[in-house]
Amino acid sequence: LNILDGVTATAAELNALGGITATVTELNYTDGVTSAIQTQIDNIDTSGDAGPISTASGTSITQAIPAGVQEIKIVLDGVRRGTTGGIGLKLGVGGTLQSTGYDTATVSVLSSPFLQTSTTSMDFLNTGSTLTISGTVTLTRAKSGLNYWDMSLEGRGGGIRLLTSSGVLLSGELDTVALVASSFSAGEFYVRWK
């Protein structure tokens, strides 16, 4: 009994230690912890950004997105397509871009409203011969745990005001966004996520 000399623990407290399966090394990992570990994990800042990303050439410019992101903002700065066709956004799972299942994209030009539809990407605009777009795209995960993403764009293109909304249900966790066009010839974009 001399080995317990100075111990002030109750019998119940000592007996509770009998159920612990962690090793001394594993318990030492918690040294210095001052609050609930799970709360600390939940509050890790997953925000990040990338850019500027050039849109001077190519047809698909991708950016990886980390797991757990709930909102993405993409700032388009003079993004120009070189030929006819649209400029839009595709989302990817497992590094593969989804090319179907996008909700009808509505584009409203405030001076002369019109409707545009697409199921192959989140189209921003698909008119005119050469188009330059500047503005902000906001992607929002509809509900944590659900892989449905809403998209809105507010900006200018071809000298007209653009308001666009769209959405898509993904088969898994979003990990890629891609700006797509028949071809790009100028501009850049920035991506920010949280």
Side-chain angles (χ1 to χ4, degrees):
L1 234 46
N2 287 340
I3 58 173
L4 295 178
D5 189 29
V7 173
T8 60
T10 67
E13 291 169 332
L14 290 174
N15 289 334
L17 293 174
I20 294 176
T21 59
T23 67
V24 170
T25 301
E26 291 169 333
L27 287 173
N28 283 333
Y29 291 143
T30 63
D31 185 37
V33 173
T34 59
S35 64
I37 294 171
Q38 188 60 52
T39 301
Q40 292 179 40
I41 292 169
D42 292 345
N43 291 330
I44 291 174
D45 183 8
T46 59
S47 65
D49 57 37
I53 302 165
S54 174
T55 55
S57 64
T59 59
S60 179
I61 301 161
T62 62
Q63 173 60 50
I65 303 294
V69 167
Q70 301 298 311
E71 181 180 270
I72 302 168
K73 291 213 182 262
I74 301 171
V75 176
L76 307 172
D77 185 10
V79 174
R80 184 178 183 86
R81 69 167 189 225
T83 61
T84 58
I87 296 177
L89 188 70
K90 289 188 178 186
L91 306 183
V93 173
T96 302
L97 297 177
Q98 185 163 318
S99 294
T100 61
Y102 292 87
D103 291 342
T104 301
T106 304
V107 178
S108 176
V109 181
L110 298 181
S111 60
S112 177
F114 68 93
L115 175 66
Q116 170 181 291
T117 62
S118 174
T119 59
T120 59
S121 72
M122 295 176 165
D123 278 352
F124 303 147
L125 190 61
N126 195 4
T127 63
S129 59
T130 303
L131 179 67
T132 302
I133 294 180
S134 293
T136 301
V137 179
T138 302
L139 291 161
T140 307
R141 190 176 198 160
K143 182 179 176 188
S144 185
L146 185 66
N147 293 312
Y148 185 86
W149 287 84
D150 288 314
M151 186 274 295
S152 64
L153 162 74
E154 186 171 343
R156 297 194 65 76
I160 50 180
R161 185 105 171 114
L162 302 173
L163 298 173
T164 306
S165 64
S166 186
V168 66
L169 178 62
L170 299 177
S171 61
E173 182 78 18
L174 169 73
D175 66 1
T176 309
V177 295
L179 206 55
V180 295
S182 52
S183 69
F184 289 105
S185 64
E188 58 192 19
F189 68 102
Y190 301 79
V191 183
R192 174 114 180 110
W193 56 85
K194 62 180 183 176

